Amino acid sequence: MKQVYLKRGKEESLLRFHPWVFSGAIHHIDNDIEEGDVVRVVTEKGDFIAVGHYQQGSISVRVLTFNGLEIDDAFWHSRLQSALNMRQDIGLADSPITNAFRLVHGEGDLLPGLIIDVYDKTAVMQAHSIGMHIARHAIAKALAEVMKGRIENIYYKSETTLPFMEPENGFLLGSSNDNIAVENGLRFYVDWLRGQKTGFFVDQRENRALLEKYAKGKRVLNMFCYTGGFSFYAMRGGAELVHSVDSSAKAIELTRRNVELNFPGDPRHEAFCEDAFKYLDSLPQPLPRRGVPSGEISPSLGEVGEAYDLIILDPPAFAKHRGALHNALKGYTRLNEKAFEKIEKGGILFTFSCSQVVTKDHFRNAVFTAAAQAKRKVRILHQLHQPADHPINIYHPEGEYLKGLVLYVE
Ligand code: SAH
């Protein structure tokens, strides 16, 4: 096996099982190493440290194992089996009310660069590294074995994650386009052919269920709705009305179909294809405006636009890398400030960030600044996270990406 030699002392984080080798830690590499190769990582003196996938870039090796294991069929089988065992142990893999879950969450399942989401009889597999792309057939074979009797199709979808490789999306097993999945008893279409990521955001499952509990009698605004996940939970929770907003026409179309699937002909729901910032700007302000004598309330419900007492903000990642952090935090503050300005008194705000480089504290600070700027009285009711099928490898804190706050706004 070809070798990657570390600079002296640069094995420290690997000895603590952190699964990445950064380019700056490398002394030199064997001449004939190619992108996606399985390599041995060794100290300057040649002592074995780990085996992983090599790729040019700031993360040069993604570690697959710290033992001297061969990366063969048995390896993939054992890693996938261990991922499934965990989902079975926590009751997700055999749930009578949910058949959509994440089976493999990259580093969290000791498979950096690989994502596998299961939607009923179909697994959607996504490679985020060249090594995983090259191994896709071996992984699919192991996946079919491990998930025998559970899945019939494997759809490979890496066009957007590895654009420079131009990998072809397509089925590696089966070919069914039967794409209705179930989450907590609610049904939804998954568009793995054209949808974002693997077609649905399973990571919000538990947060949607929490929202359902707060929805009764509320006027709900689901901002950045994508496939409408939060919207159909709000409807089941007894919301008075639910408005879903997304700037993508495709997302709005999917939301309408999903709401129709669960609540056919229900007049409580409307969907709008609009930019989030513009939409929020167009809403009436429930508080006395600056310069308006206190007690005089600005126009509300139906006069200028809708008034909402439950708002969800689940935007796409504002920062995809560390360099974008500062602007991303400003973006979160600006967005949340608009929601604080517009939400009714006694309203509840579910606000999220899915940017990996934005920490819990960063995000809380950005939202804190927004609350202060909007001069609202705000209490934190819940601090939310990614669910258990998106586990965080304890040695890889970067794996914590989804954070949310549920806020009571007066
Ligand atoms: N809440 C969703 C996931 C949101 S993904 C769920 O539970 O599944 C982020 C969504 O934001 C995408 O659908 C994208 O089309 C939308 N989006 C991105 N920029 C936007 C903008 N400026 N205004 C409105 N929607 C936007």
Side-chain angles (χ1 to χ4, degrees):
M1 203 182 288
K2 294 160 202 166
Q3 304 211 123
V4 167
Y5 298 81
L6 299 175
K7 290 179 186 160
R8 189 179 310 163
K10 290 295 183 185
E11 63 276 19
E12 286 280 299
S13 67
L14 291 158
L15 294 175
R16 289 194 306 273
F17 307 117
H18 189 275
W20 293 344
V21 177
F22 290 102
S23 55
I26 295 178
H27 186 271
H28 69 283
I29 63 175
D30 281 344
N31 281 337
D32 48 355
I33 290 186
E34 287 177 21
E35 296 255 85
D37 276 353
V38 173
V39 295
R40 272 164 59 95
V41 180
V42 297
T43 62
E44 198 193 20
K45 287 193 225 136
D47 295 334
F48 174 81
I49 300 284
V51 172
H53 279 143
Y54 177 80
Q55 186 166 332
Q56 277 173 27
S58 84
I59 303 169
S60 299
V61 181
R62 290 172 173 81
V63 173
L64 296 165
T65 171
F66 290 99
N67 300 321
L69 294 176
E70 282 292 317
I71 307 304
D72 54 11
D73 287 356
F75 170 84
W76 297 117
H77 188 103
S78 123
R79 280 289 147 91
L80 294 179
Q81 188 65 55
S82 145
L84 176 63
N85 291 350
M86 189 273 264
R87 273 82 181 163
Q88 283 182 289
D89 285 345
I90 61 171
L92 252 180
D94 303 299
S95 160
I97 53 167
T98 297
N99 63 21
F101 64 93
R102 178 155 291 191
L103 176 66
V104 172
H105 183 62
E107 286 81 358
D109 286 293
L110 308 182
L111 289 167
L114 183 67
I115 295 294
I116 301 176
D117 285 338
V118 174
Y119 301 109
D120 193 17
K121 298 271 177 260
T122 302
V124 182
M125 186 170 134
Q126 192 160 61
H128 288 252
S129 70
I130 299 173
M132 288 298 184
H133 171 68
I134 292 171
R136 66 194 178 285
H137 294 292
I139 298 169
K141 179 170 168 271
L143 182 60
E145 287 162 12
V146 167
M147 294 292 281
K148 194 160 185 252
R150 294 170 183 272
I151 60 162
E152 290 163 9
N153 313 289
I154 299 174
Y155 188 74
Y156 182 65
K157 185 173 195 273
S158 302
E159 263 173 18
T160 48
T161 48
L162 294 171
F164 49 93
M165 299 281 296
E166 299 181 1
E168 223 174 275
N169 288 349
F171 284 97
L172 300 179
L173 176 75
S175 62
S176 168
N177 280 317
D178 182 5
N179 63 346
I180 295 181
V182 187
E183 183 182 275
N184 289 320
L186 289 161
R187 297 188 303 149
F188 55 91
Y189 292 101
V190 189
D191 188 357
W192 48 72
L193 299 181
R194 287 159 300 148
Q196 298 175 46
K197 306 273 167 108
T198 65
F200 190 77
F201 286 83
V202 279
D203 57 359
Q204 289 286 22
R205 180 180 49 246
E206 290 172 7
N207 302 332
R208 292 184 191 118
L210 179 67
L211 174 103
E212 181 177 353
K213 292 206 241 163
Y214 289 123
K216 198 165 180 57
K218 295 282 198 305
R219 294 160 295 173
V220 179
L221 171 61
N222 180 10
M223 191 54 90
F224 307 96
C225 65
Y226 186 37
T227 55
F230 282 103
S231 302
F232 41 83
Y233 277 76
M235 293 179 76
R236 189 168 67 177
E240 184 182 307
L241 66 82
V242 179
H243 288 172
S244 307
V245 178
D246 200 288
S247 58
S248 146
K250 240 173 26 190
I252 290 302
E253 158 77 20
L254 262 172
T255 295
R256 289 200 174 114
R257 285 178 70 204
N258 284 336
V259 169
E260 199 51 33
L261 191 62
N262 293 285
F263 302 96
D266 195 321
R268 291 177 298 158
H269 182 257
E270 273 185 82
F272 304 97
C273 185
E274 178 64 278
D275 173 73
F277 291 87
K278 270 202 205 147
Y279 189 89
L280 287 169
D281 280 341
S282 74
L283 298 178
Q285 203 148 357
L287 291 175
R289 292 199 175 115
R290 262 181 221 100
V292 176
S294 63
E296 205 171 303
I297 306 291
S298 55
S300 191
L301 193 63
E303 288 177 58
V304 176
E306 199 52 77
Y308 299 104
D309 31 31
L310 208 177
I311 297 181
I312 301 122
L313 298 177
D314 184 23
F318 283 174
K320 295 235 160 66
H321 52 87
R322 217 166 281 280
L325 179 61
H326 182 68
N327 281 339
L329 294 178
K330 284 213 270 196
Y332 287 117
T333 297
R334 206 159 69 85
L335 178 65
N336 282 277
E337 186 182 348
K338 286 187 192 297
F340 281 131
E341 279 172 0
K342 299 301 167 78
I343 196 165
E344 291 291 295
K345 194 165 164 17
I348 295 179
L349 177 64
F350 276 65
T351 181
F352 296 95
S353 162
C354 61
S355 307
Q356 199 159 27
V357 296
V358 172
T359 65
K360 251 194 319 251
D361 290 339
H362 285 137
F363 181 58
R364 196 163 144 171
N365 244 314
V367 176
F368 158 87
T369 307
Q373 282 170 0
K375 298 193 169 58
R376 300 295 298 258
K377 194 166 135 199
V378 177
R379 281 179 273 180
I380 299 176
L381 306 185
H382 300 271
Q383 307 197 45
L384 306 179
H385 313 275
Q386 62 217 62
D389 53 341
H390 295 57
I392 301 160
N393 174 344
I394 201 161
Y395 306 112
H396 179 253
E398 296 91 333
E400 185 174 358
Y401 73 100
L402 182 64
K403 52 247 135 211
L405 294 168
V406 181
L407 306 168
Y408 187 74
V409 187
E410 286 178 78

